[in-house]
Amino acid sequence: MSAPELGATSLLRYLWRQLTSMRTALILLLLLGIASIPGSIFPQRTQSPLKVREYFDDDPSGSKWLDRLYLFDVYGSPWFSAVYLLLFVSLVGCVLPRSLHYFKEIFAAPPGAPSLLNTMEGFQVSPARLESAEAWLKKDKFRISRTSDSIAAEKGYLRETGNLLFHLSLIVVLLGIAASSVFGMRGEAIVNVGERFINTPTNYDNLTPGRFFSLESLPPFTIKVNNFSASYDRKTSQALDYELRVTTKDSLDSSEVNQIVKVNEPLTFGSTRVYLQANGYSPLVTVRDSQNLVKFEGPVPFLPQDSNLGSIGAIKVPDMQPQIGFVSSFFPTAARDEVRGGFSSFPELLDPRLLVSVWKGDLKMDEGVPQSIYRIDTEEMERIGLWALSIGESYAFEVGSITLNGVVPWVNLQVVRDPGKQYALFGSILAITGLLISLFIRQRRIWVRQVGGNIEIAGLALNKLPGLEDEIGRMIREIGDQK
Amino acid sequence: MSRSDWAYLSNDLIYITLALFALSFLSYAYETAFSLRANKADGGKYLDRAVTTKARKIASILFVVATASLTLAVIARGISAERIPLGNMYEYSITGAMAFALAFLLIGIKFDLGWLGLPSSILILLILGTAITLLYRPSAPLVPALQSSWLVIHVSSAILSGGIFLLSNTVAGAYLWLDRMERKGERSEFAKRLPSLESLDQLSYRLVAFVFPLWTFAVISGAIWAEAAWGRYWGWDPKETWSFITWILFASYLHARVTAGWKGRKAAWLCLIAGSSYLFNYVYINVWGSGRHTYSGL
Ligand code: HEM
């Protein structure tokens, strides 16, 4: 009995053959589509971390389960990667042998005519001679192999080339994507107008390097943010234009260049690009203690909550005794109504107001737990005051005072290095080209056989595109005319 | 004319277009109803061709005039906003309806599509009706994220593909309807005048094969734009995810036809499923979804 020997290797071979069949590749491609659906249903950490947090707040135990299934990180999950990797292996395993086969095929003669032509497509009988059929096929650039009483002809080999090009290019696309995630980086930094951003890790608010990206290799550019102007439609508050003016330097000792950044026009430093992603306001405040000593001074970025840039923020003063925190809202154009209370009615600084609610107690900043810069945990604090400040105004509370000196805009700069993107693009363009070729080139065989005084003609449309019967009809008409 | 004059003109033209399509729809409906009734009355033997031909002719002329009026409305909307009219969902809908109507007429030159006039005019009425009542937004400048020449390239190829996918689905739907009728027995006298199953199958396939490259281009140009505007070319934003799914479904459709030799019923269903994923992307993700494609307040 040879069954045991068949065991492992033949099973592996069988699995490999299954995995690398075109059909499996197709099924995996479909699976990849299905696997990507949950990511459009559940909020994703990479896109909307706040929504994910809301899920956890609303339903902690359910969310925990969802999280175990990676439903908040679908596109980085093991099961999504598994489909992606299997598809990759399957494509490589499917396309490479096919390419080899195809290169042999390029020089091969078309397979001989089947014995019974009348079961094939477009079967017709004509009184013409075999030679004129051959001449016609030759003139029409068919590749021909001939026996004494039959001709086999084939045309449209380019289709297979297109097909291969398409699949090979998909591999290039996948490699490009992989290269980006491994060798790339992305990060974000909030920069107030008037400040300078130096491209070092500490200046980022968050930074995600790829696995093989070393932080030492961050290019040493600097960006000084000179001015940010935004214009809005008076009636609808819709943004009309954002324009950021910066002075950049490629490295510490290179020359300065003035540049303009817009939403669709990022800055470029070699393979790194810098995008204008968001904007908001930073109130400039000074906080003094009861001895009138300055304990905090500077711009504090606030987080916009609506399209009129009504924003929330937190001013934390850990150096005061006791510690003081201001839970605040900022309205660039303050308005008030019964339902909403205070709100902003326009995104420009027409009538700015800073609402502060003053808390004293423990800010819990030394516990090593990362905190939101926009929020204060007031659980162990006590509220000691509430005021709305306009520019230039001060408010004195129990143990000190706060002054609103002015307001500057901030911009959120997104810094991205994506070394694989050219490959992904190049691969996609090749893929479309291949696809077009394989969809629109008709590959077909035509066979002719002498039967008595007549010839029989039939064919096979290899990719089932219509047109073969017309072609055979035309052939018969034209070789008939020649006689 | 001032910008708001153009905007008013565009709105008026949309209402006129609606009326014209409604009339065209009524004529198509009359043609259909007449031939159905004639079938019943005399067992389908004697259909008064003069009446149906006349109704069909009136309906087609109305369809052409309505399409012209719709095209003018779209152009006027563009002039009023001083840009391509592809800035919010109202504009995508009227432009998409125009793409659908034009594709219907252009393809109608080669294939006889008159018999599809009834479902097509209903679809256009539905799209335009929802657009002007639910989705209407005053003509306004673009938000900064859309101020790019990619807008024209990306959105028009996406919307155009949508219009043609819809047409291929209409044909596939007609295929399934007639196929059911034939399986139950003979075609009704009315349906006998419609094209053969074979040619419907081919037409719906050809439409998909024609727009699929355009659709691929729409997705890739979206990715190039996303790289310039958002700092990444692919981020699994819901709209991106669903355009990927649509792409895969139509690719499977083509693949199934070419290599597995699918045709007929199975292929028609797959075509409908793939088309629905486009529609889902357009309607659901725009209106209820979240993500970066929802900037314009629809
Ligand atoms: C990978 C990137 C992108 C993909 C795959 C993508 C995909 C699509 C698709 C499939 C549509 C067709 C209409 C629909 O089904 O709803 C569409 C429409 C649109 N895209 Fe994109 N897109 C991308 C990037 C962008 C970018 C960067 C912008 C602009 C900043 C943009 C703006 C639009 C607009 C304005 C429409 C028309 C409105 C709509 O239907 O939502 N897209 N996009």
Side-chain angles (χ1 to χ4, degrees):
Chain A
M1 290 273 294
S2 57
E5 279 162 4
L6 268 174
T9 43
S10 68
L11 180 66
L12 275 179
R13 189 171 303 150
Y14 171 77
L15 285 179
W16 173 251
R17 217 174 282 140
Q18 289 299 311
L19 179 63
T20 56
S21 74
M22 200 79 160
R23 185 186 162 144
T24 312
L26 258 181
I27 291 175
L28 285 171
L29 193 63
L30 264 175
L31 255 178
L32 190 64
I34 295 170
S36 65
I37 295 178
S40 73
I41 296 170
F42 298 101
Q44 299 295 296
R45 281 215 175 78
T46 47
Q47 291 162 359
S48 34
L50 289 180
K51 286 228 179 90
V52 177
R53 194 183 303 165
E54 274 169 29
Y55 248 79
F56 272 93
D57 290 346
D58 292 347
D59 176 10
S61 61
S63 300
K64 214 184 241 161
W65 271 105
L66 293 176
D67 204 23
R68 271 191 209 141
L69 299 173
Y70 295 91
L71 288 172
F72 300 121
D73 301 286
V74 166
Y75 307 107
S77 68
W79 47 267
F80 192 79
S81 318
V83 179
Y84 167 113
L85 286 175
L86 276 177
L87 175 63
F88 183 74
V89 174
S90 168
L91 276 176
V92 174
C94 168
V95 170
L96 293 185
R98 262 176 83 111
S99 321
L100 279 179
H101 174 73
Y102 169 66
F103 276 115
K104 286 191 215 129
E105 200 81 323
I106 277 187
F107 306 102
S115 49
L116 282 180
L117 283 187
N118 57 6
T119 57
M120 307 305 291
E121 295 166 38
F123 175 73
Q124 295 218 32
V125 182
S126 152
R129 289 181 312 125
L130 201 56
E131 280 66 39
S132 39
E134 184 177 9
W136 189 90
L137 289 165
K138 271 210 179 109
K139 205 178 90 222
D140 224 22
K141 306 237 164 60
F142 272 82
R143 182 178 301 167
I144 288 174
S145 73
R146 152 140 218 197
T147 64
S148 62
D149 67 341
S150 74
I151 303 171
E154 184 165 345
K155 190 174 166 179
Y157 288 84
L158 204 55
R159 179 187 78 105
E160 185 79 346
T161 319
N163 201 344
L164 285 168
L165 186 62
F166 176 68
H167 289 88
L168 284 172
S169 325
L170 282 190
I171 296 178
V172 176
V173 175
L174 293 178
L175 282 178
I177 294 172
S180 302
S181 70
V182 172
F183 299 111
M185 61 75 64
R186 60 180 57 236
E188 278 176 46
I190 287 182
V191 186
N192 292 303
V193 167
E195 289 176 357
R196 184 189 302 275
F197 172 78
I198 303 169
N199 192 24
T200 56
T202 49
N203 286 332
Y204 282 95
D205 294 310
N206 68 62
L207 178 59
T208 359
R211 191 157 300 157
F212 297 125
F213 180 85
S214 115
L215 288 178
E216 279 94 72
S217 62
L218 282 174
F221 60 78
T222 61
I223 302 171
K224 180 163 182 304
V225 174
N226 301 322
N227 184 40
F228 176 74
S229 59
S231 57
Y232 300 92
D233 187 289
R234 292 276 139 186
K235 272 198 229 124
T236 60
S237 303
Q238 184 203 305
L240 298 175
D241 192 31
Y242 297 127
E243 185 184 272
L244 173 66
R245 289 175 180 271
V246 294
T247 305
T248 62
K249 286 207 292 188
D250 284 350
S251 62
L252 282 177
D253 39 48
S254 56
S255 57
E256 297 193 323
V257 189
N258 288 320
Q259 301 198 62
I260 293 178
V261 191
K262 295 195 162 223
V263 178
N264 276 294
E265 295 163 29
L267 290 171
T268 304
F269 300 93
S271 62
T272 305
R273 296 184 97 181
V274 181
Y275 300 84
L276 171 61
Q277 281 298 3
N279 62 286
Y281 289 111
S282 296
L284 287 161
V285 294
T286 308
V287 180
R288 295 183 170 83
D289 67 7
S290 45
Q291 266 89 49
N292 221 19
L293 293 173
V294 173
K295 289 290 175 181
F296 178 89
E297 184 158 44
V300 184
F302 272 45
L303 185 66
Q305 302 291 303
D306 56 48
S307 58
N308 283 322
L309 296 184
S311 312
I312 59 160
I315 303 160
K316 302 178 188 182
V317 194
D319 291 349
M320 291 207 7
Q321 282 305 331
Q323 291 186 331
I324 294 290
F326 302 85
V327 176
S328 323
S329 306
F330 176 74
F331 306 126
T333 300
R336 173 165 268 298
D337 70 14
E338 315 242 296
V339 187
R340 286 176 284 181
F343 66 100
S344 172
S345 61
F346 196 69
E348 278 174 34
L349 293 170
L350 300 182
D351 182 14
R353 208 59 56 87
L354 178 69
L355 241 70
V356 291
S357 125
V358 192
W359 294 76
K360 77 171 181 193
D362 183 3
L363 286 168
K364 297 195 223 154
M365 289 175 76
D366 329 308
E367 290 174 10
V369 188
Q371 275 190 336
S372 162
I373 58 165
Y374 304 112
R375 286 169 220 276
I376 294 177
D377 177 2
T378 53
E379 209 165 281
E380 286 163 35
M381 301 183 82
E382 179 197 348
R383 185 149 95 171
I384 55 172
L386 181 66
W387 199 251
L389 292 161
S390 42
I391 289 181
E393 207 183 333
S394 295
Y395 168 61
F397 47 93
E398 210 175 273
V399 289
S401 69
I402 179 168
T403 311
L404 175 64
N405 304 310
V407 179
V408 293
W410 57 256
V411 290
N412 186 357
L413 297 180
Q414 189 181 15
V415 182
V416 181
R417 194 179 109 95
D418 190 345
K421 68 186 175 200
Q422 290 91 336
Y423 300 99
L425 177 61
F426 177 67
S428 327
I429 291 172
L430 281 186
I432 309 190
T433 316
L435 196 64
L436 285 177
I437 293 174
S438 74
L439 282 181
F440 293 115
I441 299 267
R442 291 192 298 126
Q443 188 175 10
R444 69 272 193 199
R445 297 196 180 130
I446 292 183
W447 296 292
V448 189
R449 163 165 289 143
Q450 186 86 46
V451 180
N454 289 333
I455 54 172
E456 293 181 355
I457 307 176
L460 177 67
L462 287 170
N463 49 340
K464 309 205 169 48
L465 286 180
L468 180 66
E469 314 210 337
D470 290 349
E471 193 170 24
I472 292 181
R474 190 158 48 88
M475 171 176 169
I476 286 190
R477 242 177 295 120
E478 289 178 9
I479 58 181
D481 292 348
Q482 286 168 10
K483 262 213 311 200
Chain B
M1 273 170 73
S2 75
R3 287 181 41 180
S4 62
D5 290 342
W6 282 106
Y8 285 125
L9 175 66
S10 169
N11 294 352
D12 292 344
L13 280 168
I14 289 287
Y15 284 113
I16 294 173
T17 307
L18 273 170
L20 288 168
F21 272 118
L23 289 174
S24 167
F25 162 69
L26 286 177
S27 314
Y28 280 124
Y30 178 75
E31 180 205 359
T32 313
F34 179 82
S35 37
L36 288 178
R37 201 183 44 132
N39 279 339
K40 279 228 178 72
D42 53 20
K45 300 277 175 340
Y46 314 101
L47 194 66
D48 185 354
R49 299 268 162 187
V51 178
T52 53
T53 317
K54 198 163 170 199
R56 162 79 66 93
K57 199 173 223 169
I58 294 176
S60 317
I61 292 174
L62 283 167
F63 197 104
V64 171
V65 179
T67 307
S69 153
L70 176 57
T71 310
L72 289 179
V74 171
I75 294 173
R77 176 80 180 189
I79 296 176
S80 82
E82 294 173 329
R83 59 177 169 76
I84 180 154
L86 288 174
N88 50 48
M89 207 169 160
Y90 169 69
E91 293 171 356
Y92 313 138
S93 297
I94 61 173
T95 311
M98 179 185 81
F100 179 80
L102 286 174
F104 178 82
L105 291 177
L106 281 178
I107 294 164
I109 294 175
K110 220 181 134 194
F111 297 85
D112 170 27
L113 287 186
W115 53 277
L116 266 187
L118 188 68
S120 300
S121 51
I122 297 178
L123 279 173
I124 294 177
L125 281 172
L126 275 177
I127 299 175
L128 289 180
T130 6
I132 196 92
T133 51
L134 300 178
L135 304 173
Y136 183 76
R137 290 288 175 283
S139 174
L142 290 172
V143 295
L146 296 185
Q147 290 166 10
S148 159
S149 36
W150 285 107
L151 178 72
V152 182
I153 299 169
H154 168 62
V155 185
S156 54
S157 53
I159 295 289
L160 216 73
S161 311
I164 300 174
F165 281 142
L166 188 59
L167 190 56
S168 81
N169 273 334
T170 317
V171 177
Y175 176 95
L176 289 172
W177 175 62
L178 288 173
D179 177 58
R180 234 187 88 197
M181 193 185 284
E182 287 193 0
R183 272 187 299 145
K184 278 195 183 155
E186 216 189 342
R187 280 197 188 189
S188 71
E189 203 60 27
F190 165 69
K192 274 192 188 142
R193 295 179 304 142
L194 305 187
S196 68
L197 286 181
E198 179 95 341
S199 65
L200 290 182
D201 187 43
Q202 277 300 328
L203 178 58
S204 136
Y205 166 59
R206 281 196 192 190
L207 285 168
V208 176
F210 170 76
V211 284
F212 184 71
L214 184 66
W215 172 247
T216 313
F217 175 76
V219 174
I220 290 181
S221 67
I224 298 176
W225 189 7
E227 196 278 325
W230 301 335
R232 86 288 185 293
Y233 56 87
W234 195 269
W236 297 107
D237 170 277
K239 179 131 294 184
E240 292 168 359
T241 305
W242 279 93
S243 51
F244 175 66
I245 294 168
T246 310
W247 189 88
I248 286 188
L249 286 172
F250 276 114
S252 317
Y253 170 83
L254 293 173
H255 214 292
R257 286 200 77 116
V258 169
T259 54
W262 278 33
K263 53 205 260 184
R265 207 175 314 147
K266 272 204 286 187
W269 277 113
L270 187 52
C271 182
L272 285 183
I273 292 172
S276 325
S277 98
Y278 181 96
L279 221 59
F280 178 82
N281 201 2
Y282 184 65
V283 176
Y284 186 81
I285 301 292
N286 275 9
V287 178
W288 290 282
S290 59
R292 308 189 79 147
H293 267 81
T294 46
Y295 7 69
S296 39
L298 289 194

